[in-house]
Amino acid sequence: MTVDRNEAAVRATLDEVRAEGRQALTAPEARRVCDAYGITTPAEGLATTAAEAASLAEEIGGPVVCKIVSPQILHKTEAGGVLVGVEGAAAAREAFETIVANATHYDSSATITGVQVQRLLAGGQEVIIGATTDPTFGKVMVFGLGGVLVEVLKDVTFRLAPLQRAEARAMVEDIEAAEVLRGARGADPVDLDALAEMVRTVSELVTDFPEISEIDLNPVFATAGGASAADVRILVETGEVTRPVRHPREEILRVMDRMMNPRSVAVIGASAEEGKIGNSVLKNLINGGYAGEIYPINPKADDILGRKAYPSITDVPGEVDVAVFAVPAKFVPDTLEACGRKGVPAAVLIPSGFAETGNVELQNTVVEIARRNGVRLLGPNIYGYYYTPRNLCATFCTPYDVRGGVALTSQSGGIGMAILGFSRTTKMGVSAIVGLGNKSDVDEDDLLTYFEQDENTQCVAMHLEDLKDGRAFVDAAKRMTKKKPVVVLKAGRTAMGARAAGSHTGALAGDDKVYDDVLRQAGVVRAPGLHEMLEYARGLPILPTPQGENVVIITGAGGSGVLLSDACVDNGLSLMDIPPDLDESFRRFIPPFGAAGNPIDITGGEPPSTYEATIRLGLEDPRIHALILGYWHTIVTPPMVFAELTARVVGEARAQGVDKPVVASLAGDTEVEKACEYLFDHRIVAYPYTTERPVAVLGAKYRWARSAGLLGR
Amino acid sequence: MTVDRNEAAVRATLDEVRAEGRQALTAPEARRVCDAYGITTPAEGLATTAAEAASLAEEIGGPVVCKIVSPQILHKTEAGGVLVGVEGAAAAREAFETIVANATHYDSSATITGVQVQRLLAGGQEVIIGATTDPTFGKVMVFGLGGVLVEVLKDVTFRLAPLQRAEARAMVEDIEAAEVLRGARGADPVDLDALAEMVRTVSELVTDFPEISEIDLNPVFATAGGASAADVRILVETGEVTRPVRHPREEILRVMDRMMNPRSVAVIGASAEEGKIGNSVLKNLINGGYAGEIYPINPKADDILGRKAYPSITDVPGEVDVAVFAVPAKFVPDTLEACGRKGVPAAVLIPSGFAETGNVELQNTVVEIARRNGVRLLGPNIYGYYYTPRNLCATFCTPYDVRGGVALTSQSGGIGMAILGFSRTTKMGVSAIVGLGNKSDVDEDDLLTYFEQDENTQCVAMHLEDLKDGRAFVDAAKRMTKKKPVVVLKAGRTAMGARAAGSHTGALAGDDKVYDDVLRQAGVVRAPGLHEMLEYARGLPILPTPQGENVVIITGAGGSGVLLSDACVDNGLSLMDIPPDLDESFRRFIPPFGAAGNPIDITGGEPPSTYEATIRLGLEDPRIHALILGYWHTIVTPPMVFAELTARVVGEARAQGVDKPVVASLAGDTEVEKACEYLFDHRIVAYPYTTERPVAVLGAKYRWARSAGLLGR
């Protein structure tokens, strides 16, 4: 189905443009590129005289558009360089004269190549298809409806190039106003496959020719019969592009494994003095229960906290897997050289005083030393890291020992402290907490690569402010999210501001929406804020993966039922349309004035047996895939009674191999707090005083499960 | 500026339509109504023959639109009854024949009145202006851009009719795509005043003639020179409209005052038996510390819990202000009659078993008895109510005694229990908690009327599922929000579904957006969920009102600073552009690698003095109006040290008359939780492990302050 492509023609055109030191292709040049890749454009020609314009207009037939062609004039309309609906030879002749006069008036120094005479496309829907070069993600595709309205409403969607056919098709249907393309209010639907094919082709064009920095097909006229790009703008990169350093997967895994499961850890700058970072780190390693060798490194001590100390890392008798640096920044280079000589694979740089304080040079020096010596670096400017399966607390913060399925990472130390405090207060089960700080070397994709295959980790939650290499992150995330959820809190999402850009596509891309769409494309669950990230991290690993979209609400309070339903819609969950037989079954357990349907309102004041019977039915019926419970505190069914019966019924179902996600909202006096803790301990996500949060966590699990293809809808 | 209006012409037209039993006006009739109110429509005429069509087209000149006129044909396009761009006599003649043929084919029984020949409006921007009759709010105006795209994107805005000039002007600029009207990308701006004037006129038309159930001006062509309604559809109500019962303000205040500050309370169905509702209520009144007379009513006891009991309320010697009903539903009517005889002004109906269980008849009986006897009813189907300034716990739930500035109400008992639990666990200062249940009589507007003038209440937070009388609510809320914030959690916002409607306006109005816009119009702060309602309730009364829009972030953690900035944008807060002299002043206190600007990043590891100096400067400089603090837990400045210094500095400023809102996000280990409690106790809104929540509460305070006109921007 793919058209033969004339790559040589594109290469020749681009080379010519770059040889002339130009950034922008002229319209005929852009047309040539489109032709070479089979991107449909309307019949047209270049007129260099009024007479040529007249004969072109006659040849094309019907109304035409005349546009100035000049390398210097990028904003043709502004220059009075566009006339629409020119019909017939005489009109075309006149249009030519007018346009050239306008253009000359607009910029007297502009070279006038001629006037492009093009068939006027009308009817159908105007859309924009484009590609830009994002500093983080490289080639990014954009799609949206054309016209001033959507420019204002910014209804566009982004994807990394290149795109497969199915991805391109999904992309054109991902805009808010997709209904317009499918034929809203009786209009003909446009040919979505043709649009998708054009998107795919452009995505391959910019991948094949990375020197194309931006391409803008705007407008593309989409009709029931196909798609045609009425105007094409192409910009090329004049400089060279550098690629970030990438390590092979096996290499990443080898080092990360030694970092997370070290046989020995050296603490450089270990100290006996209370309050020093080198003291805290050593104490935490020891008190945390780390079972490997611990080597304090300090030239002025023989023994620190009962462990033999060594003057330098090179003096350590055995192998060292991890060297934790607790020395001032200025001492890092020499000590790192020593680590290189010793063959230490991983250095954890706690000290600050590098790029974050403006000392970029020192950081570059350290990175160069590390690279030369084959040492991978965590940090600098971090609190360290925890890996609970090894009782490893390589940090100056207090130890943390509640093991569980989530690995958390943060770029900021403050956020790391919030992770620690939240974990402790909620007793969140954690596999790892890792500070990334300046990310001079090890970053999110290294960690994802490790956690993907780490059997102690079921879910990853990451706070990040930027990505060093967006492509590498997406690749790692895509692999991981096939198996385990990845939650990302992307900070700085609203502060990116507008970027100066040479095209619509470029301007549209200067926006957080690129991150949003690309993270979604990678299957990542984006958390809207810090608290949500923490709650998703706490809840996702304990919730089983739902097997389908049918969500049922069972509630003792009608008021909660309404709010829980609202939350379902907000979180993209589908309230199951209860079939009559199932409705009948539920009705048997609830008072006559209760409401079956969905939410199932068992009414307030019911005894434990009503909760129990309805929850059991919800678990047993295979058509139901997830339960949301609304509890109302009464004397008849006190909070702990509800919690215990729910945990028991869910536990019994699990024992029979039925493991559905169950979340609960508890409305009541303060005893509900303890009941929620009990439920969490029994793998039921439960919150007091909120109807939104349990549903948001379930919604996050669903978002992941859908993108991982586990729901099969 | 207002055009003379011919109300008689409208009256005559509407009467004629109703006399014929029609719901829809024909196009010429609608035109007559528009003319009478000075609503501009394009030149047009009605042709009953092809020859008339031809001469009309010539008379109007230029291209015209021809449209079928038939009382039976509402969807003209569908019937093939519209031809656009007809030019000249011959074409008009042909168009007439075609349209009549199409219409006859579409509905052979339709009466063909003729063909409307109308000047073709082109250029400018198509908008829709309409009014509908909302079951809750009555006449509601709608405004949006026209065209299929906006129908898909639903970019419309609603307001209660009638509108003042300024409100109408604000309304047309309230849509997302307002930039289009203001002239996006070089287009001419449209005449916004003309549009606003048309909105205002329509709002007065439907107010003057309430029998107009829907009116649809769609499209209206808006240009730089004015606005003209190309198509007008008007529907009339054939039945009569009943108005809800309203009590005069003085009357409401008189009864509500006796309910909240009763000199005596009778408990009907008081019981000595543990576990009975009549026992809990009596105990709570006594244990809660209520100082007025308490009269247990029970025919089978002389004394209950040490209080003299009476067989009937009529036996009570003194006056009774409030009768709390703790008897089964079936006993309510007789007992209520007795209350009437006794002259009790307020009855609190705890029992369920009324409309909520389908027993509408019993509820109607009770309401009738109450109305006849001049007794106001709270409930039925409620937990009762609290009013802490009187130590009044007239409820079967446990007592609550933390006094403070917020009054909370809930329509659902479950939500009421969540309010109670949340209040207790956060020690939220509360003036009242009121259950509204079935709202058979007393509802939100009665309570707003009371709390507006209640000096013990600084803020109201309401959970509601519906409004009995949206107009009365808006009136009461508008008065209250001028002085004190009102927070509303409107449940059921996503489940309203589409209403069957005869016009675009009607269809658009079947949406939660009506509530959203109308609540905003009333100055209400809408909470997105239960938890937010509770947090706003807790925070708003303790935060002082900001004096301007300049918000400054001071943070010890750069990472928190970025997230706090995100949250500011999300919550519509403006980060102050720090002037150079102020920037210089901040820089004096922070390390050279710290970042001034805004956020002010004092960097991690700073001693208490740095926090103190920068916070003091933020409070002292009159150009700054609100502070957001980001704290990072370190050994150098532990959480309680930060909390104490912050409370002290803020307290010192207050002592000097400077009271600015200060909110804080604390990132750290679990000690930050205690620090947050301490800060809350000192009127600083502070949360651990979240950057969003403190900013959301500040944002809610700002939303209220702006709508109350207290910011003066």
Side-chain angles (χ1 to χ4, degrees):
Chain A
M1 219 180 112
T2 305
V3 182
D4 274 345
R5 286 172 185 171
N6 186 347
E7 298 191 9
V10 178
R11 169 64 53 224
T13 305
L14 298 182
D15 284 350
E16 195 182 311
V17 174
R18 299 179 89 194
E20 292 177 16
R22 280 189 283 133
Q23 274 203 297
L25 275 66
T26 62
E29 285 167 345
R31 164 78 176 239
R32 228 178 297 150
V33 170
C34 287
D35 288 348
Y37 264 65
I39 296 166
T40 308
T41 53
E44 62 151 36
L46 178 72
T48 56
T49 65
E52 278 178 28
S55 65
L56 269 169
E58 280 202 314
E59 192 184 310
I60 291 167
V64 296
V65 189
C66 299
K67 297 179 201 168
I68 189 71
V69 180
S70 161
Q72 287 82 33
I73 299 177
L74 289 181
H75 299 286
K76 295 191 271 277
T77 308
E78 217 174 274
V82 180
L83 286 174
V84 178
V86 178
E87 197 157 5
R93 191 172 294 121
E94 202 180 312
F96 182 94
E97 303 290 3
T98 309
I99 284 174
V100 171
N102 286 349
T104 310
H105 179 74
Y106 177 75
D107 179 358
S108 58
S109 71
T111 314
I112 309 291
T113 312
V115 170
Q116 185 188 25
V117 180
Q118 186 181 64
R119 169 171 295 145
L120 175 64
L121 297 174
Q125 190 60 50
E126 291 185 33
V127 305
I128 174 173
I129 293 174
T132 184
T133 309
D134 184 270
T136 302
F137 294 107
K139 301 303 175 194
V140 170
M141 297 298 301
V142 61
F143 177 78
L145 291 189
V148 70
L149 190 57
V150 170
E151 259 174 57
V152 169
L153 292 177
K154 304 247 186 319
D155 180 18
V156 289
T157 181
F158 300 92
R159 292 291 186 284
L160 295 193
L163 288 169
Q164 304 289 314
R165 203 176 299 270
E167 291 174 310
R169 173 64 194 243
M171 184 181 186
V172 301
E173 294 204 71
D174 190 43
I175 55 171
E176 296 277 325
E179 206 181 319
V180 171
L181 299 174
R182 289 189 291 261
R185 301 222 346 131
D188 277 341
V190 309
D191 184 343
L192 290 170
D193 286 326
L195 270 185
E197 181 59 18
M198 194 177 277
V199 169
R200 186 175 76 89
T201 306
V202 172
S203 82
E204 289 176 356
L205 173 65
V206 295
T207 307
D208 294 345
F209 297 93
E211 61 265 52
I212 296 180
S213 58
E214 291 188 16
I215 176 167
D216 221 20
L217 278 56
N218 182 25
V220 172
F221 284 89
T223 62
S228 184
D231 202 2
V232 180
R233 179 183 295 173
I234 298 177
L235 301 178
V236 291
E237 189 61 61
T238 44
E240 285 308 308
V241 184
T242 54
R243 300 260 306 165
V245 178
R246 292 211 185 150
H247 300 275
R249 184 175 147 80
E250 309 72 50
E251 175 60 24
I252 293 171
L253 285 177
R254 191 186 60 77
V255 178
M256 292 306 302
D257 184 56
R258 293 186 72 181
M259 190 187 286
M260 292 300 177
N261 303 287
R263 290 155 300 180
S264 58
V265 176
V267 180
I268 295 173
S271 166
E273 195 182 323
E274 199 72 33
K276 291 248 180 192
I277 286 183
N279 177 265
S280 301
V281 172
L282 187 60
K283 227 164 26 186
N284 288 339
L285 280 169
I286 295 168
N287 297 345
Y290 170 62
E293 290 294 332
I294 301 174
Y295 302 117
I297 309 296
N298 187 328
K300 297 176 194 151
D302 291 330
D303 178 292
I304 304 173
L305 302 179
R307 306 273 167 154
K308 176 168 170 44
Y310 300 88
S312 158
I313 190 143
T314 49
D315 299 320
V316 171
E319 267 189 85
V320 177
D321 281 343
V322 173
V324 183
F325 281 58
V327 291
K330 62 182 171 185
F331 299 123
V332 170
D334 283 352
T335 323
L336 192 58
E337 292 275 11
C339 287
R341 286 195 298 278
K342 177 72 182 168
V344 177
V348 177
L349 304 186
I350 289 181
S352 51
F354 293 89
E356 85 285 0
T357 62
N359 205 344
V360 178
E361 204 184 328
L362 182 60
Q363 185 163 317
N364 288 342
T365 302
V366 166
V367 170
E368 186 276 321
I369 294 169
R371 213 162 275 163
R372 181 157 41 76
N373 285 280
V375 184
R376 295 295 309 268
L377 302 176
L378 189 66
N381 186 30
I382 58 172
Y383 47 88
Y385 71 108
Y386 300 79
Y387 188 64
T388 63
R390 291 283 167 268
N391 298 324
L392 184 63
C393 303
T395 163
F396 59 81
C397 305
T398 41
Y400 190 73
D401 61 3
V402 184
R403 289 192 198 174
V406 65
L408 299 109
T409 77
S410 76
Q411 195 166 343
S412 137
I415 304 308
M417 286 302 296
I419 290 172
L420 191 64
F422 176 88
S423 299
R424 209 183 301 283
T425 203
T426 60
K427 302 184 192 67
M428 175 159 71
V430 160
S431 62
I433 301 175
V434 183
L436 283 168
N438 296 6
K439 298 201 280 200
S440 70
D441 177 15
V442 167
D443 64 5
E444 289 84 0
D445 26 304
D446 295 300
L447 292 174
L448 283 175
T449 301
Y450 178 74
F451 292 130
E452 179 207 339
Q453 54 79 59
D454 175 26
E455 61 186 19
N456 298 306
T457 300
Q458 306 313 323
C459 171
V460 171
M462 300 183 143
H463 157 265
L464 57 93
E465 295 181 348
D466 55 19
L467 289 171
K468 274 175 7 196
D469 180 355
R471 290 267 162 172
F473 176 84
V474 168
D475 289 348
K478 267 191 175 165
R479 267 200 319 270
M480 165 104 180
T481 56
K482 291 272 181 304
K483 304 180 202 164
K484 310 172 185 180
V486 175
V487 176
V488 165
L489 170 62
K490 167 67 180 74
R493 66 199 152 81
T494 49
M496 301 184 75
R499 285 195 298 141
S503 71
H504 294 134
T505 299
L508 288 168
D511 197 284
D512 178 61
K513 184 123 198 331
V514 176
Y515 260 100
D516 210 56
D517 288 342
V518 169
L519 289 179
R520 198 154 38 89
Q521 191 185 357
V524 164
V525 174
R526 188 167 179 182
L530 174 57
H531 201 73
E532 286 87 349
M533 178 187 90
L534 293 169
E535 293 295 359
Y536 295 175
R538 186 182 173 206
L540 292 192
I542 68 170
L543 281 185
T545 302
Q547 302 298 306
E549 292 283 0
N550 286 339
V551 177
V552 168
I553 297 172
I554 298 173
T555 182
S560 294
V562 180
L563 291 171
L564 291 168
S565 302
D566 284 351
C568 282
V569 176
D570 289 345
N571 287 282
L573 295 177
S574 313
L575 282 187
M576 181 187 188
D577 199 6
I578 310 263
D581 68 301
L582 188 53
D583 194 73
E584 193 44 53
S585 304
F586 275 113
R587 273 184 200 286
R588 255 182 286 136
F589 300 120
I590 64 181
F593 54 89
N598 194 2
I600 295 158
D601 183 0
I602 68 169
T603 78
E606 284 297 295
S609 58
T610 309
Y611 278 106
E612 181 163 345
T614 48
I615 296 170
R616 178 167 285 122
L617 179 54
L619 292 170
E620 281 174 358
D621 193 287
R623 292 167 291 185
I624 298 174
H625 303 120
L627 290 183
I628 299 172
L629 308 179
Y631 164 77
W632 181 8
H633 188 160
T634 60
I635 300 176
V636 185
T637 307
M640 277 310 295
V641 171
F642 166 78
E644 282 164 9
L645 80 84
T646 302
R648 179 167 43 76
V649 174
V650 170
E652 284 164 12
R654 282 185 196 142
Q656 285 158 30
V658 177
D659 199 3
K660 299 179 182 178
V662 180
V663 303
S665 161
L666 277 67
D669 213 331
T670 49
E671 296 101 292
V672 296
E673 297 175 25
K674 203 173 134 236
C676 286
E677 277 180 39
Y678 182 90
L679 286 166
F680 248 104
D681 286 345
H682 290 78
R683 285 180 50 220
I684 294 156
V685 168
Y687 294 97
Y689 322 131
T690 166
T691 45
E692 305 81 32
R693 210 170 300 151
V695 181
V697 174
L698 182 63
K701 189 88 189 192
Y702 263 99
R703 271 195 277 162
W704 164 71
R706 276 186 214 113
S707 76
L710 297 172
L711 286 186
R713 71 153 186 185
Chain B
M1 221 181 111
T2 305
V3 183
D4 274 345
R5 287 175 184 169
N6 186 345
E7 297 191 9
V10 178
R11 169 65 52 225
T13 305
L14 298 181
D15 285 350
E16 196 182 311
V17 174
R18 297 180 89 193
E20 291 177 17
R22 280 188 284 134
Q23 274 203 296
L25 275 66
T26 61
E29 285 167 346
R31 164 78 176 238
R32 228 178 297 150
V33 170
C34 287
D35 287 348
Y37 263 65
I39 295 166
T40 308
T41 52
E44 62 151 34
L46 178 71
T48 55
T49 64
E52 278 178 28
S55 66
L56 267 169
E58 280 201 316
E59 192 184 311
I60 291 167
V64 296
V65 189
C66 299
K67 297 179 200 168
I68 189 73
V69 179
S70 161
Q72 288 80 33
I73 297 178
L74 289 181
H75 298 286
K76 295 191 271 279
T77 308
E78 225 170 73
V82 180
L83 285 174
V84 178
V86 178
E87 197 157 4
R93 189 172 295 119
E94 201 180 313
F96 182 94
E97 305 290 3
T98 308
I99 284 174
V100 171
N102 285 349
T104 311
H105 179 76
Y106 176 76
D107 179 356
S108 57
S109 69
T111 314
I112 307 291
T113 312
V115 169
Q116 186 188 24
V117 180
Q118 186 184 62
R119 169 171 295 143
L120 175 64
L121 297 174
Q125 189 61 49
E126 290 186 33
V127 305
I128 173 172
I129 293 173
T132 185
T133 309
D134 183 271
T136 301
F137 294 108
K139 301 302 176 196
V140 170
M141 297 298 301
V142 62
F143 176 78
L145 292 189
V148 70
L149 190 57
V150 169
E151 259 174 56
V152 169
L153 292 178
K154 304 248 186 316
D155 181 18
V156 290
T157 182
F158 299 92
R159 292 291 186 285
L160 296 191
L163 288 169
Q164 304 291 314
R165 205 176 298 270
E167 289 173 311
R169 173 64 195 244
M171 184 182 186
V172 300
E173 295 204 70
D174 191 43
I175 53 170
E176 297 274 325
E179 205 182 319
V180 171
L181 299 174
R182 289 189 292 260
R185 300 221 350 129
D188 277 341
V190 310
D191 185 343
L192 289 170
D193 287 326
L195 270 185
E197 181 58 20
M198 193 178 277
V199 169
R200 187 176 75 88
T201 306
V202 173
S203 82
E204 289 176 355
L205 173 65
V206 295
T207 306
D208 294 343
F209 298 92
E211 61 266 52
I212 296 180
S213 58
E214 290 189 17
I215 175 168
D216 220 19
L217 278 55
N218 182 24
V220 172
F221 283 88
T223 62
S228 184
D231 202 1
V232 180
R233 177 183 296 173
I234 297 177
L235 300 178
V236 291
E237 191 58 63
T238 42
E240 285 309 308
V241 185
T242 55
R243 299 262 306 165
V245 177
R246 292 212 185 149
H247 301 274
R249 184 175 147 77
E250 311 70 52
E251 175 60 24
I252 293 171
L253 284 177
R254 191 186 59 78
V255 178
M256 290 308 302
D257 183 55
R258 292 186 74 181
M259 190 187 286
M260 293 300 177
N261 304 287
R263 291 154 302 180
S264 57
V265 177
V267 180
I268 295 173
S271 165
E273 195 181 322
E274 199 72 33
K276 290 249 180 193
I277 286 183
N279 177 266
S280 300
V281 172
L282 187 60
K283 227 165 26 187
N284 287 339
L285 281 168
I286 296 168
N287 297 345
Y290 171 62
E293 290 295 331
I294 301 175
Y295 302 117
I297 310 296
N298 188 326
K300 295 176 194 151
D302 292 331
D303 177 293
I304 304 175
L305 302 178
R307 306 272 167 156
K308 178 170 168 44
Y310 300 88
S312 159
I313 191 143
T314 49
D315 300 320
V316 171
E319 267 189 85
V320 176
D321 282 342
V322 173
V324 182
F325 281 59
V327 292
K330 61 182 173 187
F331 298 124
V332 170
D334 283 353
T335 322
L336 192 59
E337 291 276 13
C339 287
R341 289 196 295 278
K342 178 71 183 168
V344 177
V348 177
L349 304 187
I350 289 180
S352 50
F354 293 89
E356 86 284 1
T357 62
N359 205 343
V360 178
E361 205 183 326
L362 182 60
Q363 185 164 317
N364 288 344
T365 303
V366 165
V367 169
E368 185 278 319
I369 293 169
R371 213 163 275 164
R372 178 157 45 73
N373 286 281
V375 184
R376 295 295 308 268
L377 301 176
L378 188 66
N381 185 31
I382 58 172
Y383 47 88
Y385 72 109
Y386 301 80
Y387 188 64
T388 62
R390 295 282 167 267
N391 297 326
L392 184 64
C393 303
T395 163
F396 59 82
C397 304
T398 41
Y400 191 72
D401 61 3
V402 184
R403 289 193 198 172
V406 66
L408 299 111
T409 77
S410 77
Q411 195 165 345
S412 138
I415 305 307
M417 287 301 296
I419 290 173
L420 191 63
F422 177 87
S423 300
R424 208 184 301 284
T425 203
T426 60
K427 302 183 191 68
M428 175 158 71
V430 160
S431 63
I433 302 175
V434 183
L436 283 167
N438 297 6
K439 298 201 280 200
S440 70
D441 178 13
V442 168
D443 64 4
E444 289 84 359
D445 26 305
D446 296 301
L447 292 174
L448 282 176
T449 302
Y450 178 74
F451 292 131
E452 180 207 339
Q453 54 79 60
D454 174 28
E455 60 186 21
N456 298 305
T457 299
Q458 305 314 322
C459 172
V460 171
M462 302 184 140
H463 158 263
L464 57 93
E465 293 180 351
D466 55 18
L467 289 170
K468 273 176 7 197
D469 180 354
R471 289 267 161 172
F473 176 85
V474 167
D475 289 348
K478 267 190 174 165
R479 267 199 318 272
M480 164 102 181
T481 56
K482 290 273 182 301
K483 304 180 202 164
K484 309 172 185 180
V486 175
V487 177
V488 165
L489 170 62
K490 167 68 179 71
R493 64 199 154 81
T494 49
M496 303 184 72
R499 286 195 299 142
S503 71
H504 293 135
T505 299
L508 288 169
D511 195 286
D512 177 60
K513 185 120 198 331
V514 177
Y515 260 100
D516 209 57
D517 287 343
V518 169
L519 290 179
R520 198 153 40 89
Q521 192 184 356
V524 163
V525 174
R526 188 166 181 185
L530 173 57
H531 201 75
E532 286 88 351
M533 179 187 91
L534 294 169
E535 293 294 359
Y536 295 174
R538 187 182 173 208
L540 291 191
I542 67 169
L543 280 185
T545 303
Q547 302 299 307
E549 293 282 0
N550 285 339
V551 177
V552 168
I553 298 172
I554 298 173
T555 182
S560 294
V562 179
L563 291 171
L564 290 167
S565 302
D566 284 350
C568 282
V569 176
D570 289 346
N571 287 284
L573 295 176
S574 312
L575 282 187
M576 181 188 188
D577 198 6
I578 311 262
D581 67 301
L582 188 52
D583 194 74
E584 193 45 52
S585 303
F586 275 114
R587 272 184 201 285
R588 256 182 285 134
F589 300 121
I590 63 180
F593 54 88
N598 195 1
I600 295 157
D601 182 1
I602 68 169
T603 77
E606 284 297 296
S609 58
T610 309
Y611 279 106
E612 180 163 346
T614 48
I615 295 171
R616 176 168 287 123
L617 179 54
L619 292 169
E620 282 175 357
D621 193 287
R623 292 166 290 185
I624 298 174
H625 303 120
L627 290 183
I628 299 172
L629 308 180
Y631 164 76
W632 180 8
H633 188 161
T634 60
I635 300 175
V636 185
T637 307
M640 277 310 295
V641 170
F642 166 77
E644 283 165 10
L645 80 86
T646 302
R648 177 167 44 76
V649 174
V650 170
E652 284 164 13
R654 282 185 195 140
Q656 285 159 29
V658 177
D659 200 3
K660 299 179 184 178
V662 180
V663 303
S665 161
L666 277 66
D669 213 331
T670 49
E671 296 103 292
V672 296
E673 296 175 24
K674 201 172 134 235
C676 286
E677 278 181 36
Y678 182 90
L679 286 166
F680 248 105
D681 287 345
H682 290 78
R683 286 179 48 221
I684 294 157
V685 168
Y687 294 97
Y689 323 130
T690 165
T691 45
E692 306 80 33
R693 210 171 299 152
V695 180
V697 174
L698 183 63
K701 189 88 190 190
Y702 263 99
R703 271 195 278 163
W704 164 71
R706 277 188 213 111
S707 77
L710 297 172
L711 285 185
R713 72 153 187 186

